[in-house]
Amino acid sequence: MKKTWGVLDETLKDMLTTDEYEFTKCMKMADLGCSSGPNTLLVISHIIGQLSENKYVPKQLEVFLNDLPDNDFNNLFKLMTTTPRTNTKTENIECYIYGAPGSFYGRLFPNNSLHFAYSSASIHWLSQLPQGLGKSNKENIYITTTSPPQVFEAYSKQFERDFMTFLKLRGEEIRGGGRMVLGFLGRIAADPTSNDEFKTYTLLSETLSGMVAEGLVKEDDLHSFNIPIYAPSIQETEAAIQNEGSFNLDKMEGVLVPLNANEDYNNYDNMVSDKNNNTGSGKIVANCVRAFVEPMLVVHFGSSINVDRVFDVYEKKMEEHLSVERSCYFIHVISLTRKT
């Protein structure tokens, strides 16, 4: 999340400088796909800190926290009572926070009601599984080097539809000249089958395939299981923004985030792993993946799957992988301005 903050800070600074009069009153913003943990409040606190450093500080800030209706909004509001208040006297900004449940692939706010929108690690989630996949991806659960062309095409078209819908709707809700900063999973290679950039899913596919061989998972169930995530290339992202037409693309950066959040490196040239410092990395990554994959496994495979067994095996595979290669996610960070 913090990897997006350089672009975020720059956007906020430019926005307040450009629209000084408007923002001395009340600034209205949305966090899209906010989730329910403490990181949500960390983002709000950071934004308030950045706003307070400007010459033209908004006197009031309204923050709308958006996620799907089954998100634990109650936990978010409980956290507000146990963490330092964001509207402290030092910042001198009155902050009002509201829940806004609903899919960001639908309308959420009135026309021209927002000045700023932010989203981190959410836009890569598709509104649905791509149509026409069926069992064509076989033992793969995402796009990989062995996926047939129709699988890539189905995922790519679904992302294009979803992302352009997202941009169109936000274009209706954000006032002219308003800003939006998005951070989401992407890929470096234009051709997703030329290089396996998503070992997290490849190793999970191998884990499930092994359980099929042991008779613990039905083969048909594995062949029909796919994850509704898409990591677009830079070219796909730029094309969707241009074709939809509501926003100008001000800035686009790519950052590398290690699978193991305790590691830190800046480029692919630094991917030589130190085996002595890698102990426990497999468990860290497995726990992170389990947090969002387990509900999907339970729904798709039902009671026939032993989730604990899945992630015990997955952890060992990930530990072995990270002992020879320090893999990472590639994150797009983009700053957009609503056209006037």
Side-chain angles (χ1 to χ4, degrees):
M1 179 179 65
K2 290 184 178 180
K3 293 279 188 178
T4 68
W5 283 5
V7 175
L8 172 63
D9 296 350
E10 184 179 326
T11 301
L12 290 171
K13 181 179 179 180
D14 182 64
M15 182 174 65
L16 267 73
T17 301
T18 304
D19 292 312
E20 58 191 61
Y21 176 76
E22 180 73 26
F23 292 114
T24 55
K25 301 175 182 178
C26 178
M27 177 178 169
K28 298 182 179 182
M29 65 158 285
D31 183 348
L32 305 168
C34 65
S35 192
S36 59
N39 281 346
T40 304
L41 302 186
L42 183 63
V43 170
I44 298 172
S45 296
H46 178 80
I47 289 175
I48 289 178
Q50 292 300 307
L51 295 176
S52 66
E53 293 178 2
N54 275 272
K55 180 179 179 181
Y56 303 101
V57 182
K59 292 180 172 52
Q60 296 178 325
L61 176 66
E62 291 186 356
V63 181
F64 299 93
L65 301 179
N66 160 256
D67 213 313
L68 295 173
D70 59 359
N71 185 56
D72 193 350
F73 286 96
N74 285 335
N75 184 60
L76 271 179
F77 292 113
K78 287 177 182 177
L79 285 173
M80 292 179 197
T81 66
T82 59
T83 54
R85 295 289 294 179
T86 52
N87 55 338
T88 62
K89 293 182 180 179
T90 54
E91 270 104 21
N92 199 30
I93 299 174
E94 297 177 17
C95 184
Y96 301 90
I97 302 176
Y98 312 91
S103 169
F104 52 51
Y105 293 122
R107 276 296 296 266
L108 296 168
F109 308 105
N111 289 347
N112 304 311
S113 60
L114 297 177
H115 300 100
F116 179 71
Y118 172 80
S119 180
S120 178
S122 295
I123 304 300
H124 49 258
W125 285 100
L126 302 173
S127 64
Q128 62 179 47
L129 277 172
Q131 298 178 358
L133 278 184
K135 299 180 181 179
S136 58
N137 210 18
K138 296 188 176 180
E139 70 273 6
N140 301 314
I141 63 174
Y142 184 64
I143 304 169
T144 186
T145 54
T146 59
S147 297
Q150 63 265 32
V151 170
F152 164 57
E153 183 177 356
Y155 267 100
S156 179
K157 286 184 176 180
Q158 185 65 50
F159 168 77
E160 182 181 25
R161 284 192 294 269
D162 284 347
F163 191 43
M164 291 181 69
T165 296
F166 174 88
L167 293 172
K168 177 180 180 296
L169 297 174
R170 302 297 82 77
E172 295 169 357
E173 297 165 349
I174 297 175
R175 63 185 287 274
R179 308 298 177 92
M180 183 161 61
V181 173
L182 309 175
F184 53 95
L185 188 65
R187 69 176 189 273
I188 295 175
D191 179 1
T193 63
S194 65
N195 182 37
D196 188 359
E197 295 185 32
F198 301 99
K199 281 293 184 181
T200 47
Y201 307 133
T202 304
L203 294 178
L204 185 56
S205 297
E206 293 176 4
T207 299
L208 294 171
S209 293
M211 296 184 75
V212 168
E214 295 177 38
L216 302 175
V217 171
K218 295 179 181 179
E219 185 176 64
D220 281 351
D221 286 345
L222 174 57
H223 288 181
S224 60
F225 179 62
N226 291 279
I227 295 180
I229 281 177
Y230 185 69
S233 66
I234 294 172
Q235 295 86 349
E236 286 175 300
T237 303
E238 290 177 336
I241 294 169
Q242 181 176 358
N243 291 337
E244 193 283 321
S246 295
F247 292 87
N248 289 318
L249 177 59
D250 301 323
K251 189 166 189 174
M252 184 172 191
E253 292 185 354
V255 295
L256 296 174
V257 179
L259 297 188
N260 178 357
N262 294 330
E263 294 183 356
D264 186 22
Y265 52 84
N266 297 313
N267 54 64
Y268 272 115
D269 296 332
N270 196 28
M271 289 220 181
V272 179
S273 179
D274 182 352
K275 296 181 182 180
N276 296 324
N277 293 328
N278 197 55
T279 304
S281 293
K283 185 174 184 62
I284 293 171
V285 177
N287 287 341
C288 291
V289 173
R290 181 171 184 168
F292 67 86
V293 171
E294 180 174 358
M296 291 185 281
L297 291 175
V298 171
V299 169
H300 184 81
F301 292 95
S303 59
S304 65
I305 194 166
N306 184 331
V307 177
D308 289 335
R309 172 73 181 277
V310 170
F311 286 99
D312 284 344
V313 175
Y314 180 74
E315 176 186 329
K316 294 175 183 177
K317 285 182 176 290
M318 183 59 69
E319 190 81 31
E320 181 179 355
H321 168 69
L322 293 175
S323 71
V324 295
E325 180 181 328
R326 298 171 69 187
S327 297
C328 69
Y329 296 111
F330 181 73
I331 303 295
H332 293 307
V333 187
I334 62 177
S335 178
L336 303 163
T337 298
R338 175 69 171 92
K339 294 179 179 179
T340 55

